[in-house]
Amino acid sequence: MASGYISPWTGRFYSLLDPTYAKDHIPIIASVSEHQPTAWSSFMFDFHILLFLFPAGLYFCFKRLSDATIFLVMYGLTSMYFAGVMVRLILVATPAVCLISAIAVSATVKNLTRVVRAKSPAVQSGSTKGTGTAKGSSKGVVDNSQPFQRNGAIVLLLGAFYLLSRYAIHCTWVTSEAYSSPSIVLAARGAHGNRVIFDDYREAYFWLRQNTPPDAKVMSWWDYGYQITAMGNRTVIVDNNTWNNTHIATVGRAMSSYEDEAYEIMRSLDVDYVLVVFGGVTGYSSDDINKFLWMVRIGGGVFPVIKEPDYLVNGEYRVDKGAAPKMLNCLMYKLSYYRFGELTTEYGKPPGYDRARGVEIGNKDIKLEYLEEAFTTQNWIVRIYKVKPPKNRC
């Protein structure tokens, strides 16, 4: 590394060895959902019965140690550790888990079928004393324990095949439901069990493509950069290529600042439109308000003027009347909740009730001075604002 022939390790690699490294030094890495530690529910969802077959497979590998089984053990244990550190690395652990679990299934089925196919042996008992015909004769006595072992093995075999069939059904369902749906189309269940589709992302990108100049520049959080570029055909300030931490921190600083301060940053970046994602109407939890603290942390990592405690109240993140003053007046809050105080989202709740956070917002009288609302999708999930030109250029 010192000679320059090998590049130094990246922050993502250090995060594998020390899970707290990214949060303390590079918050942009820790903010990515795929880089979060894996929950047990995710392991169970993806591996199903393999989660229990994996330890059994390790046992059988240790029973028959060879170069191949030692490699599998090392591959399996290291990949499972890395999968526990980052949820995206479940993909790396999957081949090892499948192979080691297959060893457990193969060894178990082999042992059980051996019991089922075994013939019942006769136990020879000889007698040298006695009277009548029993004297000096030998009689074959059948071992009564063998049928019970055979029946038990058959039951276990049927149970194993049933679990494997359920695993196949589970894999098919997971593939169709979780891993085959486009991420820009959201689905939910209505009050009567009917399926509701939220097509707001595509609606917003279509509007961008049809109603903005071809050279317009859009500022949003980096999560939506590639989608805006591909589907909206517009230039973005930051995108999913997160190598430029300073550029992303600049956008985070703009979202965390007051509107007049953010306007100066947007003018320096030549921004024409600002796009935010908001889930207060539908209860969509993966919106920009829930991601906002990461914008603060990433922006504060480069620009010390942004301090996370300024947006918290006694260490608590709030958006209601008890929220911090800077939180209630920053650009992200104003763009997300603009006109929201007039809207009734749920029966029996006051206007301005945020269904994603479960609270009534604290600032309902939001006025915009340097931006104007350009478009809001049907379910308010995507909101687009136009940056006003300077007054001397109007």
Side-chain angles (χ1 to χ4, degrees):
M1 295 183 187
S3 61
Y5 291 104
I6 301 177
S7 61
W9 290 341
T10 63
R12 289 176 176 83
F13 186 86
Y14 284 121
S15 297
L16 295 178
L17 304 178
D18 179 10
T20 64
Y21 176 84
K23 186 176 181 180
D24 296 336
H25 299 90
I26 313 177
I28 182 65
I29 295 177
S31 70
V32 181
S33 59
E34 292 89 348
H35 295 166
Q36 303 303 313
T38 309
W40 277 109
S41 58
S42 298
F43 276 121
M44 194 63 199
F45 184 77
D46 288 327
F47 291 146
H48 200 248
I49 62 171
L50 300 191
L51 198 61
F52 305 100
L53 292 174
F54 179 75
L58 291 177
Y59 166 76
F60 285 112
C61 287
F62 277 113
K63 281 190 66 176
R64 297 189 298 270
L65 283 179
S66 63
D67 291 343
T69 55
I70 290 174
F71 170 77
L72 277 179
V73 168
M74 294 179 62
Y75 178 25
L77 293 178
T78 54
S79 61
M80 283 297 283
Y81 165 75
F82 291 139
V85 175
M86 283 189 184
V87 65
R88 70 187 303 175
L89 295 182
I90 283 183
L91 291 174
V92 176
T94 300
V97 173
C98 290
L99 289 172
I100 295 175
S101 299
I103 291 175
V105 172
S106 175
T108 303
V109 171
K110 182 178 179 181
N111 292 336
L112 292 175
T113 52
R114 185 179 296 156
V115 174
V116 172
R117 298 172 63 182
K119 295 182 179 179
S120 301
V123 179
Q124 299 294 328
S125 62
S127 176
T128 58
K129 295 181 181 181
T131 58
T133 58
K135 185 178 180 180
S137 66
S138 62
K139 185 183 293 183
V141 180
V142 177
D143 186 3
N144 291 327
S145 65
Q146 193 69 19
F148 294 103
Q149 294 180 0
R150 186 171 182 273
N151 292 337
I154 292 175
V155 171
L156 291 177
L157 273 175
L158 292 176
F161 288 131
Y162 171 75
L163 289 176
L164 291 174
S165 64
R166 295 301 305 176
Y167 174 65
I169 295 172
H170 175 78
C171 291
T172 305
W173 176 79
V174 168
T175 303
S176 62
E177 290 293 326
Y179 297 133
S180 298
S181 301
S183 59
I184 65 169
V185 179
L186 308 176
R189 293 291 176 183
H192 303 288
N194 56 312
R195 195 176 190 186
V196 181
I197 300 297
F198 300 111
D199 202 15
D200 292 51
Y201 281 105
R202 190 191 57 83
E203 180 186 352
Y205 300 148
F206 180 79
W207 185 91
L208 272 177
R209 189 170 64 249
Q210 296 294 325
N211 297 277
T212 59
D215 59 347
K217 299 177 182 64
V218 181
M219 186 181 82
S220 69
W221 194 231
W222 63 264
D223 297 35
Y224 326 110
Y226 284 165
Q227 291 183 359
I228 296 172
T229 301
M231 301 189 67
N233 196 25
R234 292 298 178 264
T235 303
V236 293
I237 304 300
V238 291
D239 57 22
N240 304 61
N241 181 9
T242 57
W243 289 104
N244 194 333
N245 184 57
T246 303
H247 213 175
I248 295 175
T250 304
V251 174
R253 180 185 180 185
M255 296 295 191
S256 309
S257 302
Y258 295 120
E259 186 183 358
D260 55 343
E261 298 170 353
Y263 181 73
E264 297 300 325
I265 298 173
M266 290 186 289
R267 294 304 304 169
S268 67
L269 296 174
D270 200 19
V271 175
D272 298 302
Y273 292 88
V274 180
L275 182 147
V276 296
V277 173
F278 174 62
V281 175
T282 59
Y284 179 52
S285 60
S286 297
D287 64 352
D288 285 340
I289 290 292
N290 280 351
K291 298 175 184 178
F292 179 67
L293 278 186
W294 285 113
M295 304 183 194
V296 173
R297 291 166 184 162
I298 294 169
V302 177
F303 304 102
V305 68
I306 303 296
K307 297 179 175 60
E308 184 177 348
D310 294 341
Y311 302 86
L312 305 176
V313 177
N314 297 324
E316 186 180 0
Y317 180 54
R318 304 176 61 172
V319 297
D320 56 3
K321 292 181 180 179
K326 192 159 189 178
M327 177 68 200
L328 293 174
N329 293 281
C330 67
L331 181 67
M332 175 55 69
Y333 192 97
K334 296 178 74 172
L335 297 186
S336 296
Y337 291 118
Y338 179 69
R339 292 194 304 110
F340 184 70
E342 309 165 1
L343 187 67
T344 301
T345 60
E346 195 169 315
Y347 178 75
K349 300 295 183 181
Y353 179 78
D354 187 335
R355 296 182 64 195
R357 263 69 51 181
V359 295
E360 182 183 357
I361 64 172
N363 184 3
K364 296 183 180 181
D365 187 26
I366 296 176
K367 306 295 183 183
L368 295 176
E369 182 179 355
Y370 299 96
L371 295 95
E372 59 184 358
E373 184 179 11
F375 181 73
T376 296
T377 56
Q378 179 181 0
N379 299 293
W380 285 52
I381 291 179
V382 182
R383 312 196 68 184
I384 301 173
Y385 294 86
K386 183 177 181 180
V387 180
K388 295 180 181 180
K391 292 181 180 180
N392 58 353
R393 297 184 184 178
C394 294

PDB file of all heavy atoms in Angstrom, residues 338-352:
ATOM      1  N   TYR A 338     -45.279  21.612   3.711  1.00  0.00           N
ATOM      2  CA  TYR A 338     -45.940  22.777   3.116  1.00  0.00           C
ATOM      3  C   TYR A 338     -47.381  22.417   2.726  1.00  0.00           C
ATOM      4  O   TYR A 338     -47.639  21.427   2.037  1.00  0.00           O
ATOM      5  CB  TYR A 338     -45.154  23.248   1.889  1.00  0.00           C
ATOM      6  CG  TYR A 338     -45.754  24.429   1.184  1.00  0.00           C
ATOM      7  CD1 TYR A 338     -45.771  25.684   1.780  1.00  0.00           C
ATOM      8  CD2 TYR A 338     -46.321  24.302  -0.085  1.00  0.00           C
ATOM      9  CE1 TYR A 338     -46.326  26.787   1.141  1.00  0.00           C
ATOM     10  CE2 TYR A 338     -46.864  25.389  -0.743  1.00  0.00           C
ATOM     11  CZ  TYR A 338     -46.874  26.634  -0.120  1.00  0.00           C
ATOM     12  OH  TYR A 338     -47.428  27.720  -0.760  1.00  0.00           O
ATOM     13  N   ARG A 339     -48.350  23.183   3.209  1.00  0.00           N
ATOM     14  CA  ARG A 339     -49.797  22.992   3.005  1.00  0.00           C
ATOM     15  C   ARG A 339     -50.340  21.740   3.699  1.00  0.00           C
ATOM     16  O   ARG A 339     -51.532  21.429   3.592  1.00  0.00           O
ATOM     17  CB  ARG A 339     -50.157  22.920   1.512  1.00  0.00           C
ATOM     18  CG  ARG A 339     -49.959  24.222   0.764  1.00  0.00           C
ATOM     19  CD  ARG A 339     -50.635  24.215  -0.599  1.00  0.00           C
ATOM     20  NE  ARG A 339     -50.219  23.116  -1.444  1.00  0.00           N
ATOM     21  CZ  ARG A 339     -50.997  22.091  -1.769  1.00  0.00           C
ATOM     22  NH1 ARG A 339     -52.236  22.014  -1.301  1.00  0.00           N
ATOM     23  NH2 ARG A 339     -50.542  21.128  -2.556  1.00  0.00           N
ATOM     24  N   PHE A 340     -49.503  21.019   4.396  1.00  0.00           N
ATOM     25  CA  PHE A 340     -49.954  19.787   5.046  1.00  0.00           C
ATOM     26  C   PHE A 340     -50.844  20.087   6.245  1.00  0.00           C
ATOM     27  O   PHE A 340     -51.703  19.273   6.604  1.00  0.00           O
ATOM     28  CB  PHE A 340     -48.738  18.960   5.478  1.00  0.00           C
ATOM     29  CG  PHE A 340     -49.081  17.630   6.078  1.00  0.00           C
ATOM     30  CD1 PHE A 340     -49.603  16.609   5.300  1.00  0.00           C
ATOM     31  CD2 PHE A 340     -48.883  17.380   7.434  1.00  0.00           C
ATOM     32  CE1 PHE A 340     -49.918  15.377   5.853  1.00  0.00           C
ATOM     33  CE2 PHE A 340     -49.196  16.155   7.994  1.00  0.00           C
ATOM     34  CZ  PHE A 340     -49.710  15.150   7.204  1.00  0.00           C
ATOM     35  N   GLY A 341     -50.655  21.248   6.871  1.00  0.00           N
ATOM     36  CA  GLY A 341     -51.471  21.610   8.022  1.00  0.00           C
ATOM     37  C   GLY A 341     -52.934  21.814   7.695  1.00  0.00           C
ATOM     38  O   GLY A 341     -53.778  21.850   8.604  1.00  0.00           O
ATOM     39  N   GLU A 342     -53.273  21.947   6.410  1.00  0.00           N
ATOM     40  CA  GLU A 342     -54.666  22.128   5.991  1.00  0.00           C
ATOM     41  C   GLU A 342     -55.340  20.796   5.676  1.00  0.00           C
ATOM     42  O   GLU A 342     -56.552  20.764   5.422  1.00  0.00           O
ATOM     43  CB  GLU A 342     -54.717  23.014   4.741  1.00  0.00           C
ATOM     44  CG  GLU A 342     -53.945  24.321   4.866  1.00  0.00           C
ATOM     45  CD  GLU A 342     -53.715  24.986   3.512  1.00  0.00           C
ATOM     46  OE1 GLU A 342     -54.189  24.404   2.501  1.00  0.00           O
ATOM     47  OE2 GLU A 342     -53.072  26.033   3.466  1.00  0.00           O
ATOM     48  N   LEU A 343     -54.565  19.714   5.684  1.00  0.00           N
ATOM     49  CA  LEU A 343     -55.058  18.429   5.191  1.00  0.00           C
ATOM     50  C   LEU A 343     -55.442  17.512   6.348  1.00  0.00           C
ATOM     51  O   LEU A 343     -54.695  17.373   7.317  1.00  0.00           O
ATOM     52  CB  LEU A 343     -53.974  17.764   4.332  1.00  0.00           C
ATOM     53  CG  LEU A 343     -54.339  16.485   3.592  1.00  0.00           C
ATOM     54  CD1 LEU A 343     -55.369  16.766   2.511  1.00  0.00           C
ATOM     55  CD2 LEU A 343     -53.090  15.856   2.976  1.00  0.00           C
ATOM     56  N   THR A 344     -56.601  16.878   6.233  1.00  0.00           N
ATOM     57  CA  THR A 344     -57.018  15.852   7.195  1.00  0.00           C
ATOM     58  C   THR A 344     -56.682  14.483   6.616  1.00  0.00           C
ATOM     59  O   THR A 344     -57.213  14.096   5.569  1.00  0.00           O
ATOM     60  CB  THR A 344     -58.529  15.943   7.475  1.00  0.00           C
ATOM     61  OG1 THR A 344     -58.835  17.247   8.004  1.00  0.00           O
ATOM     62  CG2 THR A 344     -58.951  14.879   8.473  1.00  0.00           C
ATOM     63  N   THR A 345     -55.812  13.768   7.284  1.00  0.00           N
ATOM     64  CA  THR A 345     -55.312  12.497   6.753  1.00  0.00           C
ATOM     65  C   THR A 345     -56.010  11.287   7.336  1.00  0.00           C
ATOM     66  O   THR A 345     -55.959  10.204   6.746  1.00  0.00           O
ATOM     67  CB  THR A 345     -53.801  12.375   7.027  1.00  0.00           C
ATOM     68  OG1 THR A 345     -53.578  12.435   8.446  1.00  0.00           O
ATOM     69  CG2 THR A 345     -53.035  13.492   6.351  1.00  0.00           C
ATOM     70  N   GLU A 346     -56.650  11.446   8.479  1.00  0.00           N
ATOM     71  CA  GLU A 346     -57.241  10.285   9.145  1.00  0.00           C
ATOM     72  C   GLU A 346     -58.454  10.718   9.947  1.00  0.00           C
ATOM     73  O   GLU A 346     -58.460  11.787  10.575  1.00  0.00           O
ATOM     74  CB  GLU A 346     -56.199   9.634  10.061  1.00  0.00           C
ATOM     75  CG  GLU A 346     -56.552   8.236  10.532  1.00  0.00           C
ATOM     76  CD  GLU A 346     -55.382   7.535  11.206  1.00  0.00           C
ATOM     77  OE1 GLU A 346     -54.260   7.597  10.665  1.00  0.00           O
ATOM     78  OE2 GLU A 346     -55.599   6.950  12.272  1.00  0.00           O
ATOM     79  N   TYR A 347     -59.490   9.887   9.923  1.00  0.00           N
ATOM     80  CA  TYR A 347     -60.729  10.214  10.622  1.00  0.00           C
ATOM     81  C   TYR A 347     -60.469  10.308  12.132  1.00  0.00           C
ATOM     82  O   TYR A 347     -59.824   9.434  12.729  1.00  0.00           O
ATOM     83  CB  TYR A 347     -61.787   9.148  10.343  1.00  0.00           C
ATOM     84  CG  TYR A 347     -63.096   9.385  11.067  1.00  0.00           C
ATOM     85  CD1 TYR A 347     -63.986  10.367  10.631  1.00  0.00           C
ATOM     86  CD2 TYR A 347     -63.421   8.632  12.193  1.00  0.00           C
ATOM     87  CE1 TYR A 347     -65.185  10.587  11.300  1.00  0.00           C
ATOM     88  CE2 TYR A 347     -64.613   8.844  12.858  1.00  0.00           C
ATOM     89  CZ  TYR A 347     -65.492   9.825  12.406  1.00  0.00           C
ATOM     90  OH  TYR A 347     -66.664  10.045  13.074  1.00  0.00           O
ATOM     91  N   GLY A 348     -60.987  11.369  12.723  1.00  0.00           N
ATOM     92  CA  GLY A 348     -60.833  11.551  14.156  1.00  0.00           C
ATOM     93  C   GLY A 348     -59.536  12.214  14.564  1.00  0.00           C
ATOM     94  O   GLY A 348     -59.289  12.419  15.760  1.00  0.00           O
ATOM     95  N   LYS A 349     -58.686  12.533  13.602  1.00  0.00           N
ATOM     96  CA  LYS A 349     -57.408  13.186  13.886  1.00  0.00           C
ATOM     97  C   LYS A 349     -57.464  14.634  13.415  1.00  0.00           C
ATOM     98  O   LYS A 349     -58.184  14.976  12.471  1.00  0.00           O
ATOM     99  CB  LYS A 349     -56.257  12.457  13.190  1.00  0.00           C
ATOM    100  CG  LYS A 349     -56.090  10.994  13.616  1.00  0.00           C
ATOM    101  CD  LYS A 349     -55.705  10.869  15.077  1.00  0.00           C
ATOM    102  CE  LYS A 349     -55.477   9.395  15.439  1.00  0.00           C
ATOM    103  NZ  LYS A 349     -55.115   9.237  16.867  1.00  0.00           N
ATOM    104  N   PRO A 350     -56.682  15.516  14.038  1.00  0.00           N
ATOM    105  CA  PRO A 350     -56.696  16.922  13.631  1.00  0.00           C
ATOM    106  C   PRO A 350     -55.998  17.117  12.289  1.00  0.00           C
ATOM    107  O   PRO A 350     -55.233  16.253  11.846  1.00  0.00           O
ATOM    108  CB  PRO A 350     -55.918  17.610  14.762  1.00  0.00           C
ATOM    109  CG  PRO A 350     -55.021  16.539  15.296  1.00  0.00           C
ATOM    110  CD  PRO A 350     -55.791  15.270  15.190  1.00  0.00           C
ATOM    111  N   PRO A 351     -56.262  18.221  11.615  1.00  0.00           N
ATOM    112  CA  PRO A 351     -55.518  18.511  10.370  1.00  0.00           C
ATOM    113  C   PRO A 351     -54.017  18.567  10.650  1.00  0.00           C
ATOM    114  O   PRO A 351     -53.580  19.029  11.701  1.00  0.00           O
ATOM    115  CB  PRO A 351     -56.058  19.883   9.944  1.00  0.00           C
ATOM    116  CG  PRO A 351     -57.394  19.986  10.605  1.00  0.00           C
ATOM    117  CD  PRO A 351     -57.278  19.252  11.911  1.00  0.00           C
ATOM    118  N   GLY A 352     -53.256  18.084   9.695  1.00  0.00           N
ATOM    119  CA  GLY A 352     -51.806  18.060   9.869  1.00  0.00           C
ATOM    120  C   GLY A 352     -51.315  16.874  10.658  1.00  0.00           C
ATOM    121  O   GLY A 352     -50.201  16.907  11.193  1.00  0.00           O
TER     122      GLY A 352
END
